[in-house]
Amino acid sequence: MPEGDTVWNTARVLQRALAGARLTGSDFRVPQLATTDLTGWTVRESASRGKHLLLRLTGIDAEPWTLHSHLRMDGAWRAYAPGERWSGRPAHLIRVVLHSPAAVAVGYHLHELALVPTAEEESLVGHLGPDLLGPDWDTDEAVRRLAADPDRTIGEALLDQRNLAGVGNLYKCEVLFLRGVSPWTPVGAVPDLPGTVALAQRLLAANRGRWTQSTTGVLHRGGTSYVYGRRAQPCRRCGTAVRKEELGERVTYWCPACQPDVELPRNAQDRPR
Ligand SMILES: [Zn+2]
């Protein structure tokens, strides 16, 4: 699942394949860019911001432009050598092809594909909170943004990219398991919010440079997560069946024993006499 680390890895693939290259051709297969031709443009750099990809180019008029894309749940970029078979995904999912003398970059099932002046990049990513894998990562600012809505569940708040950019459902579930926090806990009742945020950053950072996402340190299939994707399987710590339920717009996985509901202050009339 594309989360911040996957997008970071993808940006690096594009950086290695295209940075510094002058494009020899482009093929956009989305209506809004169907007539765009990047032949002769130079790729300056590839960057990620949260779950957004930013391919920065110099146009033939020497103006800086940014090709923006978002992977959401199913998008991907792949780089191939010229003449190599494009084996990544079915051809009908191709949204853009960028040709350079040394590599061909193919974007599959990309979302929000847009070409904007680099000076206007902020209109696409300016709303994002601190990027967990960005050079400007700022734990304090992420905590401040999360804490601004103390009644919201931590499960929903961690997924809100305006609070911090890069956490998807997998890391959300895993971080809360490792901290022993129920996903339904109000942000204001999370015992150590800075510690939770710092752990999320460490988990994403640990998966940079590889495509297998693991929060357990185990890389083989079936061993990579504590609770994510493990409904009804025994908790790796206590053996209780892992549960899966909807929380907001997403499903969440958790261990009801390791992540008990917080005891909220009760109203006076609810108190036992
Ligand atoms: Zn457990």
Side-chain angles (χ1 to χ4, degrees):
M1 171 158 307
E3 304 202 25
D5 57 331
T6 309
V7 179
W8 189 94
N9 288 340
T10 302
R12 198 165 69 154
V13 166
L14 293 176
Q15 174 77 12
R16 285 176 175 166
L18 296 178
R22 175 170 288 214
L23 297 179
T24 52
S26 68
D27 176 8
F28 285 93
R29 303 184 189 177
V30 291
Q32 71 272 23
L33 293 171
T35 60
T36 300
D37 181 3
L38 301 184
T39 303
W41 291 40
T42 301
V43 178
R44 288 183 288 124
E45 62 175 349
S46 166
S48 63
R49 181 95 177 267
K51 297 198 263 184
H52 298 249
L53 278 159
L54 305 167
L55 190 66
R56 300 187 177 117
L57 308 119
T58 303
I60 45 179
D61 56 0
E63 290 296 316
W65 288 78
T66 297
L67 182 63
H68 170 270
S69 58
H70 198 292
L71 304 182
R72 285 202 201 151
M73 309 287 279
D74 48 6
W77 280 93
R78 295 280 185 274
Y80 303 103
E84 185 183 353
R85 190 170 153 264
W86 302 348
S87 54
R89 303 274 180 92
H92 72 271
L93 294 177
I94 294 173
R95 298 292 178 265
V96 60
V97 183
L98 301 176
H99 298 269
S100 80
V104 183
V106 181
Y108 297 95
H109 218 172
L110 302 174
H111 304 270
E112 302 172 40
L113 199 57
L115 187 64
V116 300
T118 297
E120 295 173 20
E121 238 177 43
E122 288 297 297
S123 68
L124 296 168
V125 295
H127 64 288
L128 297 174
D131 178 356
L132 287 143
L133 299 180
D136 57 346
W137 167 244
D138 183 343
T139 304
D140 293 343
E141 174 62 12
V143 169
R144 190 190 67 74
R145 290 181 181 223
L146 284 165
D149 192 353
D151 297 331
R152 198 174 186 195
T153 68
I154 186 68
E156 290 172 288
L158 284 176
L159 289 179
D160 189 335
Q161 305 294 300
R162 294 170 298 184
N163 290 330
L164 68 177
V167 171
N169 213 17
L170 179 147
Y171 287 108
K172 173 206 80 181
C173 295
E174 295 293 292
V175 165
L176 295 178
F177 172 80
L178 287 165
R179 300 293 304 187
V181 172
S182 162
W184 281 268
T185 307
V187 169
V190 172
D192 178 8
L193 203 50
T196 301
V197 168
L199 178 61
Q201 198 277 336
R202 289 201 301 276
L203 288 179
L204 262 85
N207 282 306
R208 279 182 302 197
R210 67 180 181 218
W211 296 102
T212 301
Q213 293 170 305
S214 174
T215 54
T216 59
V218 174
L219 295 177
H220 65 72
R221 194 178 172 85
T224 55
S225 69
Y226 287 102
V227 291
Y228 184 81
R230 300 191 64 244
R231 184 173 76 90
Q233 295 180 47
C235 170
R236 297 191 197 280
R237 276 195 180 150
C238 75
T240 302
V242 171
R243 293 180 62 185
K244 173 189 177 185
E245 266 183 43
E246 287 181 11
L247 170 58
E249 296 176 355
R250 305 291 292 276
V251 297
T252 201
Y253 296 86
W254 84 107
C255 171
C258 292
Q259 299 166 263
D261 289 330
V262 286
E263 290 288 332
L264 296 174
R266 296 182 192 175
N267 293 329
Q269 67 237 35
D270 292 337
R271 286 196 183 126
R273 297 177 186 189

